Amino acid sequence: MVKKNPLRRLSVALRLTEAYQPAQSPDSMMNAPSLNQFLTDAKASYLKDVKEDPTKAAAWTVVMGNEAGGVWSLSSLERLTESFADLDTLASSIAYAWILSEVDKVLSVPLLPMERADLSLRAENLHALKMAGLSEDALLTLTELADFRPQKFALVDHNRLGPTYDPNAEVVAIIDHHHDEGFYLNANPRTISPCGSSASLVAALLPPEPPAELCTLLLTAVLLDTDGLKPGGKATDVDRSSALFVATKSTISNSIPPLSALSPIDNPDPDALYDAQAIKDLVSTLTLKKTDVSHLGGFDLLRRDYKEYTHPLPWVPSQPAIKVGLSTVPARLKAWGSDGRLEKDAVEWMRRRGLTILGVLTTFRDTKGKMLGKSGKHGKHKREMAWIILQETEMEQISAKGLTIDTLANRLFASLEADTEIEVKKHKKFDVEKSSHLPPKAKVKVYKQGNAQATRKAIAPLVKKTLESTGPSDSTAESGKEGPASKY
Ligand SMILES: [Mn+2]
């Protein structure tokens, strides 16, 4: 289906001309409705059917991308709990729902598998929506769907329905670039093909004259997923040909060279689009938005890149298990957590997730006294860690059976401090150990990491080993049931 040469691809697409009739809005027979109007109408009609007539609602094909910008793995010991659709999922689901509705004439609506309040967490998504003339109101999220469980899906940007959806729901189409998990073999199309962005696979299905806004949206997704079509990077021929097609049909087409110059028939240059200045500018804006978290408060920072684990404690006679969360935050503690804000936001998040331990792992560049370059890469790469242990419901029940929060805290802190890979030092400039913003009995410690290369991938196994190994891990672990008041 997907052709390597964009011009061949176009000629294939031209065969769709007859089948494709742009929908006409009742009050304007001259123009097709805008993409924003299409989404607004689809959402309203679908929600009306959901509310009034479940049988009619079941006729809709709900186009949905993945839940967290990655693949849900049931075998993983990690559990993704929050879901923030990425730009690929956003663009692919909107575009495929448009194709189903306007080309194939099938009732279809895109669903973002996330809560409405979380739309603002990805600034690059908001930027792409704005460029495509789309309002957040036009999008359907899980918030509006409430308890309703769709029965017919088209999956984009993943190929297996997540465990929170009805397992008996029908999957009628798949367009994805992840590893094929082998489900829904009757889906049609069932296009699962490795490439940089699933938006490229969806773009290959567009009719010859698609809406410019839709092309802009798909272009942003392909560019972000392929580092701007960087040669030798993640971009495949599919990404390059799709990007070329949507770029020339997009709302920014007048700022890039014409298709004939970009890709002469007898001498195509696959990197021509990558070299175009307007494309370079767009990629740098999207990348900056993606890495800029300055619009987010501590609570959102803690949950936007978060993993959760349940660890049994075999060294405690009653054999309890506790929940541990690890948040990776791309900004230094001082920038968002001073004056009690770290403690307040961490405790709020821990209560919402029912955590006993939260590790906050920051990663940032120390730009003190240096000019911040355009790439944002100047300054030394540093990492900090803040650990908070709460005596809340879970720990109350466990401590009734003999494990004190002091023992747990001592075991964790001793293990972190003894580890020769992460090389922690007490953080002298961020002292919250005597904070008045924590509930009674809570424990907290803040470190600087000597080894700035050690990410959550290194910390998570260390925490697992510390908590799940049998017997006292060191002299501090089982130092008596009461013990002296901890200095921690
Ligand atoms: Mn993707």
Side-chain angles (χ1 to χ4, degrees):
M1 184 65 215
V2 178
K3 302 295 173 191
K4 288 185 179 178
N5 183 319
L7 297 174
R8 254 176 80 201
R9 184 214 160 283
L10 279 173
S11 67
V12 170
L14 281 170
R15 284 194 225 131
L16 291 167
T17 316
E18 281 174 52
Y20 171 60
Q21 298 282 331
Q24 288 172 334
S25 63
D27 52 350
S28 163
M29 298 303 281
M30 299 300 290
N31 302 309
S34 69
L35 185 60
N36 195 64
Q37 193 60 49
F38 159 75
L39 290 173
T40 305
D41 293 347
K43 175 184 166 183
S45 316
Y46 179 61
L47 287 178
K48 185 170 180 282
D49 286 350
V50 163
K51 201 174 155 203
E52 294 174 2
D53 188 347
T55 322
K56 272 167 91 180
W60 287 74
T61 300
V62 173
V63 183
M64 188 171 75
N66 72 54
E67 299 194 84
V71 182
W72 186 295
S73 171
L74 286 175
S75 59
S76 164
L77 85 174
E78 298 174 354
R79 189 154 74 84
L80 297 166
T81 55
E82 299 271 311
S83 144
F84 314 119
D86 70 5
L87 187 49
D88 191 19
T89 272
L90 178 74
S92 298
S93 56
I94 290 174
Y96 193 55
W98 184 88
I99 291 169
L100 283 178
S101 303
E102 302 297 298
V103 181
D104 299 343
K105 306 296 178 191
V106 166
L107 269 181
S108 173
V109 64
L111 168 66
L112 287 180
M114 65 193 295
E115 297 298 334
R116 174 156 298 275
D118 295 337
L119 281 173
S120 63
L121 287 182
R122 287 188 187 266
E124 71 277 20
N125 286 11
L126 300 184
H127 185 75
L129 288 173
K130 203 169 151 200
M131 281 185 73
L134 300 179
S135 70
E136 289 178 37
D137 281 348
L139 305 174
L140 176 67
T141 69
L142 295 177
T143 308
E144 292 81 59
L145 218 49
D147 295 332
F148 185 80
R149 308 188 87 194
Q151 292 301 308
K152 198 198 290 185
F153 286 97
L155 304 184
V156 292
D157 205 15
H158 68 321
N159 59 73
R160 184 179 181 182
L161 203 55
T164 54
Y165 299 90
D166 190 333
N168 298 316
E170 195 186 353
V171 172
V172 297
I174 300 176
I175 299 170
D176 182 32
H177 63 143
H178 293 94
H179 172 74
D180 187 344
E181 298 197 49
F183 290 86
Y184 324 116
L185 298 177
N186 294 326
N188 183 21
R190 192 177 184 283
T191 304
I192 303 175
S193 166
C195 59
S197 181
S198 70
S200 302
L201 299 170
V202 178
L205 303 175
L206 286 171
E209 296 299 334
E213 299 97 339
L214 192 56
C215 290
T216 303
L217 186 64
L218 287 164
L219 179 64
T220 58
V222 178
L223 292 178
L224 195 62
D225 276 349
T226 60
D227 301 320
L229 303 168
K230 195 172 173 183
K234 293 178 196 158
T236 64
D237 289 344
V238 177
D239 297 303
R240 274 184 280 270
S241 64
S242 281
L244 196 53
F245 173 64
V246 290
T248 54
K249 299 287 180 185
S250 74
T251 55
I252 63 161
S253 62
N254 58 359
S255 58
I256 56 174
L259 179 63
S260 56
L262 283 171
S263 189
I265 291 169
D266 40 359
N267 187 22
D269 174 5
D271 299 326
L273 201 56
Y274 167 76
D275 289 327
Q277 191 56 46
I279 295 296
K280 284 190 194 299
D281 292 345
L282 177 53
V283 170
S284 107
T285 303
L286 289 168
T287 310
L288 275 176
K289 297 259 176 202
K290 192 180 175 180
T291 49
D292 177 18
V293 292
S294 59
H295 62 298
L296 299 180
F299 187 75
D300 285 339
L301 287 174
L302 290 174
R303 65 203 187 95
R304 75 182 275 285
D305 188 355
Y306 171 77
K307 298 268 164 76
E308 194 173 284
Y309 315 81
T310 295
H311 293 298
L313 308 177
W315 45 280
V316 179
S318 61
Q319 307 264 314
I322 57 169
K323 277 172 82 176
V324 176
L326 292 179
S327 300
T328 299
V329 177
R332 66 196 312 161
L333 287 167
K334 223 173 83 183
W336 59 275
S338 355
D339 306 319
R341 285 181 295 163
L342 166 69
E343 301 94 294
K344 183 189 138 293
D345 290 328
V347 169
E348 189 184 344
W349 179 239
M350 291 176 78
R351 285 180 174 155
R352 174 141 141 197
R353 300 296 322 156
L355 301 179
T356 288
I357 298 175
L358 175 66
V360 180
L361 317 175
T362 72
T363 166
F364 60 97
R365 293 205 172 253
D366 192 356
T367 53
K368 204 167 47 186
K370 297 190 186 84
M371 290 293 288
L372 183 63
K374 212 180 171 187
S375 67
K377 294 233 162 135
H378 291 253
K380 198 165 188 252
H381 182 206
K382 294 189 172 178
R383 285 181 191 269
E384 309 155 311
M385 296 196 295
W387 294 90
I388 298 118
I389 308 179
L390 286 190
Q391 175 91 4
E392 303 273 314
T393 321
E394 187 175 64
M395 195 58 204
E396 286 289 356
Q397 288 161 4
I398 295 168
S399 62
K401 294 180 192 163
L403 171 69
T404 69
I405 192 166
D406 288 325
T407 307
L408 181 64
N410 289 353
R411 185 179 179 105
L412 177 67
F413 296 150
S415 171
L416 294 169
E417 287 164 22
D419 191 82
T420 51
E421 190 192 344
I422 56 175
E423 300 169 22
V424 297
K425 285 192 301 260
K426 190 181 147 103
H427 198 323
K428 294 198 180 99
K429 291 188 182 138
F430 202 91
D431 190 359
V432 289
E433 287 175 34
K434 295 191 182 77
S435 171
S436 58
H437 298 92
L438 283 170
K441 295 190 188 170
K443 303 289 163 199
V444 59
K445 258 208 151 188
V446 184
Y447 300 107
K448 281 181 174 175
Q449 254 178 247
N451 175 10
Q453 302 307 312
T455 66
R456 183 166 54 200
K457 285 193 175 69
I459 312 291
L462 175 62
V463 172
K464 181 181 164 72
K465 195 179 89 189
T466 303
L467 297 176
E468 296 190 8
S469 62
T470 50
S473 66
D474 53 70
S475 57
T476 60
E478 291 275 295
S479 58
K481 280 183 188 108
E482 274 311 309
S486 168
K487 64 179 170 156
Y488 301 117

